[in-house]
Amino acid sequence: MDKPARASRVTIRTVAADAGVSVAAVSKVLRNAYGVSDSLKQKVMTSIDKLGYRPSTAARGMRGRTFTIGVLLVGMDNPFLPPLVSSFKQAMGKEGYNTLIGVGEARTHVESALIDSMIDMRIDGLLLIAPRISGATLDHYAGQVPISVIGHHENTAKTFDTTNVDDFSGGRAATEALIKKGYRDIAMLCLKHSKRRDGEVWYERERGYHAAMQEAGLENFSRIVRIAERPDEMQPQLLTLLEEPGRPEAFFCWSDIHGVPLINAARMKGLRIPGDLGLISYDNTAPAGLPLIGLASIDQNPTILGQCAADQLLSRLKGRAEASHAVIEPELIIRKSF
């Protein structure tokens, strides 16, 4: 039996012929070049959609750009990330860039391997969200590709850009809100860690918590309770914490990753929130705002974070050399959990 004939590959010349324009005009549309009229763009995009044309990433890379941006996430299970990534992708997409997403699993060797692979694929830039690799390693990669980092405080960095919420201010604001409500024995629920790395968001939030407690003369009550991040390890630790006779009056949770399971576990045990326990968390994710959860939380405005990181990368790609470090003010979203 004869093999079916392979469909000929659609090229940029095929698109140009179908649209009745030059190859150079199609190239300008694909590059989102300055001065392209709406009518030309519409004509070319109609032919691209009809023919199913896909630009060759390899060929574009040989000409200088692939119009692809790598995005490295710390994980897939944090509800804070989807609106941030969506905002970033939308902003980059308007400028003709696709995004390639990898998950680092909060492991430095996995993150490094993924970044190496993305660079080998000739990405034009890289967004890192809450990376666990060090600032020195970021410097190394920033020498190869433009990098913007969210969730890493290092405003002295000269080779890469950062966009962050003021996590120190957020931690202090959450703790101050609990103090103003009359709580005194306030603990902070935070990550377990083997080694603190400069720039990590949880450490900045811890600093804000300690500052608020000290300013209120409550430093004798200050304590950090460290809980695992994995759900299968976290849940039994939260239950044990709630059963302790010396349980604090209130908790400031470093993230909704812990805050939402904690308020859920407390209510399942019959505790009144507030009343028996006061809670404020961080990230203001969608689960925190559900009526049956009602968890007060610090809003980082992920949409603005994503847009800001995209702006940083786009300006780097246009030639900016000096580092940019953007800081966004957080906001406490008040709900009836404290």
Side-chain angles (χ1 to χ4, degrees), residues 26-192:
V26 177
S27 178
K28 285 183 177 180
V29 171
L30 291 173
R31 290 185 287 110
N32 199 28
Y34 177 77
V36 174
S37 67
D38 290 340
S39 60
L40 173 60
K41 185 175 182 179
Q42 181 61 47
K43 187 182 295 185
V44 171
M45 293 308 297
T46 298
S47 293
I48 286 174
D49 291 341
K50 181 175 75 174
L51 299 171
Y53 172 67
R54 290 193 307 145
S56 167
T57 299
R60 294 173 88 179
M62 290 175 67
R63 292 195 296 270
R65 286 192 187 179
T66 61
F67 285 85
T68 302
I69 301 295
V71 177
L72 184 64
L73 307 179
V74 67
M76 293 289 289
D77 54 353
N78 189 339
F80 169 72
L81 295 175
L84 191 162
V85 175
S86 178
S87 172
F88 177 81
K89 286 182 64 179
Q90 184 176 16
M92 297 304 300
K94 287 179 180 178
E95 298 297 323
Y97 287 87
N98 296 313
T99 53
L100 180 67
I101 296 177
V103 180
E105 302 173 4
R107 300 178 182 179
T108 55
H109 69 282
V110 176
E111 290 181 347
S112 295
L114 284 170
I115 293 172
D116 286 333
S117 295
M118 289 179 177
I119 291 175
D120 288 345
M121 295 175 70
R122 302 182 66 86
I123 57 169
D124 295 328
L126 185 62
L127 170 64
L128 306 179
I129 303 175
R132 300 299 166 90
I133 55 179
S134 67
T137 304
L138 289 171
D139 275 331
H140 166 72
Y141 286 123
Q144 304 173 59
V145 64
I147 290 178
S148 179
V149 190
I150 294 175
H152 176 90
H153 292 270
E154 192 175 348
N155 60 12
T156 58
K158 292 181 169 53
T159 59
F160 58 88
D161 301 328
T162 63
T163 295
N164 291 291
V165 162
D166 186 340
D167 285 299
F168 173 82
S169 175
R172 182 165 59 184
T175 310
E176 287 175 344
L178 289 168
I179 294 169
K180 287 177 182 177
K181 280 287 186 178
Y183 296 102
R184 293 295 177 264
D185 186 1
I186 305 166
M188 180 177 176
L189 202 64
C190 202
L191 281 176
K192 280 187 175 178

